[in-house]
């Protein structure tokens, strides 16, 4: 518990973490609001085919906040400190305080999970308020099981970002890949044109937990299990690599 509290404290001491929190908590409401405005006339007229998705779109795009969170949680350990501080890295100090590398990773992953959970709940609240403000009585009814799926999607995505950063010891690669994949173009959608196996990629399977798309392949439960499997495998690989790695390298 002491290690977990220490990791929470370290995360909230990072200036960039507040940007991640802002994006995670409020960007989804902006996307949901814009989507509500675009669909408002059709919804009021009763001809919209996307009423059930209004709001959930924001949860799909707003996941960038927890991606930044997952990457920062690890990459911040490898920042080189100023010469006044000895020019070392935080990771050396962290492992001196928590000698067990597995315990260290679990505490850090726990902190990422807790903050991701909190951010998603805040995002859901702001989305509900945003859609109610714009659509009024025509606002969609948010179903608890889909919201739960969105929460899982956010937490799993944050842990995937976390695991990839442990493997790369670098923020640029996982941040670039995951941010582009979640906002600009989905690599799994492109790969799906080549092979149906692409529907088992984590982002594609995970989105089925809360979005009812026309090309939906998985049930929410199956999509969640597929994404969870990816998370477990990636975290195991990351833990093994981190255990064997020379921190100074």
């Amino acid at each position: 518990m002491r290690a977990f509290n220490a990791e929470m404290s370290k995360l909230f001491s990072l200036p960039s973490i507040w940007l991640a929190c802002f994006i995670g908590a409020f960007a989804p409401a902006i996307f949901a609001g814009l989507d509500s405005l675009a669909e408002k006339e059709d919804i009021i007229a009763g001809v919209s085919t996307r009423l059930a998705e209004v709001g959930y779109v924001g949860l799909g795009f707003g996941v960038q906040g927890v991606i930044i969170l997952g990457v920062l949680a690890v990459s911040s350990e490898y920042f080189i400190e100023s010469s006044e501080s000895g020019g070392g890295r935080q990771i050396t100090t962290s492992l001196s305080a928590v000698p067990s590398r597995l315990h260290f990773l679990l505490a850090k992953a726990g902190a990422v999970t807790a903050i991701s959970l909190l951010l998603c709940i805040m995002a859901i609240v702001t989305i509900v308020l945003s859609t109610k403000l714009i659509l009024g009585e025509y606002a969609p009814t948010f179903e608890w099981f889909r919201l739960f799926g969105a929460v899982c999607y956010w937490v799993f995505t944050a842990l995937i970002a976390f695991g990839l950063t442990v493997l790369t010891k670098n923020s640029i690669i996982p941040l670039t890949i995951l941010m582009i994949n979640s906002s600009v173009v989905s690599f799994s959608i492109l790969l799906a044109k080549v092979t149906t196996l692409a529907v088992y990629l984590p982002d594609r399977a995970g989105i089925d937990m809360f979005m009812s798309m026309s090309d939906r392949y998985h049930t929410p439960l199956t999509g969640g299990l597929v994404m969870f499997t990816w998370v477990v495998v990636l975290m195991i690989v990351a833990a093994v690599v981190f255990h064997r790695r020379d921190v100074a390298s």
Side-chain angles (χ1 to χ4, degrees):
M1 193 64 180
R2 188 179 305 171
F4 171 80
N5 291 335
E7 292 304 324
M8 291 287 283
S9 178
K10 280 196 292 184
L11 277 175
F12 282 114
S13 69
L14 299 172
S16 301
I17 203 68
W18 297 105
L19 173 62
C21 290
F22 179 81
I23 293 174
F26 299 106
I30 296 174
F31 282 107
L34 292 174
D35 195 33
S36 297
L37 286 172
E39 288 289 308
K40 186 173 182 178
E41 290 187 8
D42 288 344
I43 290 173
I44 294 175
V47 296
S48 174
T49 59
R50 296 190 56 254
L51 177 60
E53 300 307 315
V54 171
Y56 293 100
V57 170
L59 290 170
F61 282 103
V63 76
Q64 286 95 339
V66 294
I67 290 174
I68 297 173
L69 167 67
V71 170
L72 278 177
V74 179
S75 62
S76 61
E77 295 284 347
Y78 293 96
F79 292 159
I80 298 177
E81 298 175 350
S82 63
S83 56
E84 290 80 4
S85 302
R89 294 178 176 181
Q90 176 64 42
I91 186 68
T92 305
T93 304
S94 297
L95 290 179
S96 297
V98 186
S100 170
R101 296 194 179 197
L102 179 59
H103 190 187
F104 170 72
L105 274 186
L106 288 176
K108 192 172 282 292
V112 169
T113 299
I115 298 175
S116 299
L117 180 63
L118 177 61
L119 287 180
C120 192
I121 291 173
M122 292 176 65
I124 289 171
V125 172
T126 58
I127 283 175
V128 171
L129 293 175
S130 175
T131 55
K132 286 287 185 182
L133 179 64
I134 295 172
L135 298 177
E137 61 181 303
Y138 297 98
T141 300
F142 289 89
E143 302 163 318
W144 70 267
F145 66 90
R146 293 180 69 184
L147 293 177
F148 178 75
V151 170
C152 291
Y153 178 70
W154 277 44
V155 171
F156 292 164
T157 300
L159 291 176
I160 286 174
F162 176 90
L164 288 176
T165 312
V166 171
L167 292 176
T168 61
K169 292 199 309 182
N170 182 291
S171 62
I172 297 176
I173 296 174
L175 198 59
T176 301
I177 293 175
L178 294 175
M179 292 290 278
I180 291 176
N181 189 65
S182 63
S183 59
V184 181
V185 58
S186 172
F187 301 125
S188 61
I189 291 178
L190 295 178
L191 289 173
K193 300 180 184 298
V194 180
T195 172
T196 56
L197 292 177
V199 299
Y200 292 100
L201 290 173
D203 64 314
R204 181 61 187 82
I207 208 77
D208 283 339
M209 286 191 284
F210 64 100
M211 293 287 286
S212 300
M213 299 182 296
S214 58
D215 60 343
R216 184 175 186 170
Y217 188 87
H218 305 286
T219 65
L221 178 60
T222 303
L225 289 175
V226 171
M227 193 175 189
F228 178 71
T229 301
W230 276 95
V231 171
V232 171
V233 171
L234 179 59
M235 293 298 286
I236 291 174
V237 172
V240 171
V241 170
F242 184 69
H243 180 73
R244 296 181 176 180
R245 176 184 290 154
D246 178 3
V247 172
S249 65

